[in-house]
Structure formats: structure tokens, C-alpha cells
Amino acid sequence: MSGFTRDTKHYGDKLVYEALGTKWRRYHDTHCGCGLNWVTEHAKPAGFTVVRSGSGWVALVGPGLTEDVDESALTANALWEAVTGKPGEGWAETVHVMDRSEAAEKKRKAENDAAYADRRERSAQSKKDPATRRK
């Protein structure tokens, strides 16, 4: 899912719009149909800066999207218009804050270890005791 985020581990203190590449490529193909790359041919010329690209995600900052905006009423209208050439619908999007501090990561790992402990134990046991005998 695409959306606005603050993730100190990946972006520092920047507010970015993480665009799921496949989703926005589909929007572009459906509404523009020029056959060009939506990031290099539409987003960059419209003034957006690519902060991160990879793993199917493109993180963008730029005018009207993440700069000088009312964070309580954020929309992706500026990106929608740049990519599709049509005005946005004004759907409000919230900012997702990712706490990736060392303490938060330790807590998340401990919760994950506790939640999956039984599954890991069963997996280890199944490697020792196969369900069927070897012939």
C-alpha cells in the first residue's frame, strides 16, 4: 500500500510518500498510456525527488506532495496529477510513523520471537523426527 510515512531509519526526519511501484505504474498505464516510465518521465520533471528506489518501492518528496502541506489533510493529488495528467480526487491519507530506534527494534524482535517460538520449536523437532521412516 502506498502512503505518507516518517521512517527515521530510511529517510531521516523527512516526510516522504512511499509509492508502491506496481500500483502507480498501473495508474499511469491506465490514465496516461504514454508507455514511458512514470518516475523518470513524469514524477521527476514535475519536481519530485526520488529519495529511495528499490524492492518495488519509490519514496518521493516534492512540491505539493510533502513540502509545505497541511499534514492533517494530506492527499496524493500532486503526484496523481503528475503521473496521470488528471486532477486528483482529494482522498485524505494519514502519515504512518515508523519507530525504528534501537529500543523499538529490540521490542519488536522480542515480540516476534515470542509469537513464533512454538512454530520454530515444531520446525526444529520435525527436522529431528521425520514424519515417515526412511526406506
Side-chain angles (χ1 to χ4, degrees):
M1 188 154 159
S2 297
F4 293 95
T5 188
R6 285 194 190 279
D7 182 341
T8 56
K9 182 176 181 178
H10 291 292
Y11 312 118
D13 194 31
K14 288 183 183 171
L15 172 66
V16 301
Y17 187 85
E18 282 189 320
L20 180 58
T22 55
K23 175 181 175 180
W24 282 90
R25 185 173 51 247
R26 220 174 27 253
Y27 289 159
H28 173 253
D29 292 346
T30 301
H31 297 281
C32 178
C34 69
L36 302 174
N37 181 290
W38 70 272
V39 175
T40 58
E41 300 302 322
H42 296 289
K44 284 183 178 180
F48 298 107
T49 301
V50 177
V51 178
R52 176 178 170 215
S53 182
S55 301
W57 292 94
V58 179
L60 303 165
V61 295
L65 183 65
T66 55
E67 297 168 355
D68 302 322
V69 294
D70 176 4
E71 287 193 27
S72 65
L74 284 172
T75 67
N77 286 349
L79 182 58
W80 180 266
E81 189 167 344
V83 172
T84 66
K86 298 179 180 180
E89 297 292 327
W91 297 301
E93 296 188 41
T94 59
V95 176
H96 301 281
V97 178
M98 306 289 190
D99 183 3
R100 298 201 190 209
S101 64
E102 193 172 319
E105 288 293 304
K106 282 182 182 179
K107 180 181 177 197
R108 185 199 55 75
K109 185 174 180 350
E111 289 171 351
N112 189 27
D113 288 345
Y116 291 99
D118 185 48
R119 187 178 291 178
R120 288 188 186 110
E121 187 177 314
R122 285 193 319 252
S123 176
Q125 191 63 35
S126 70
K127 290 176 184 173
K128 293 178 191 173
D129 302 327
T132 59
R133 290 187 174 169
R134 262 192 186 163
K135 291 185 180 186

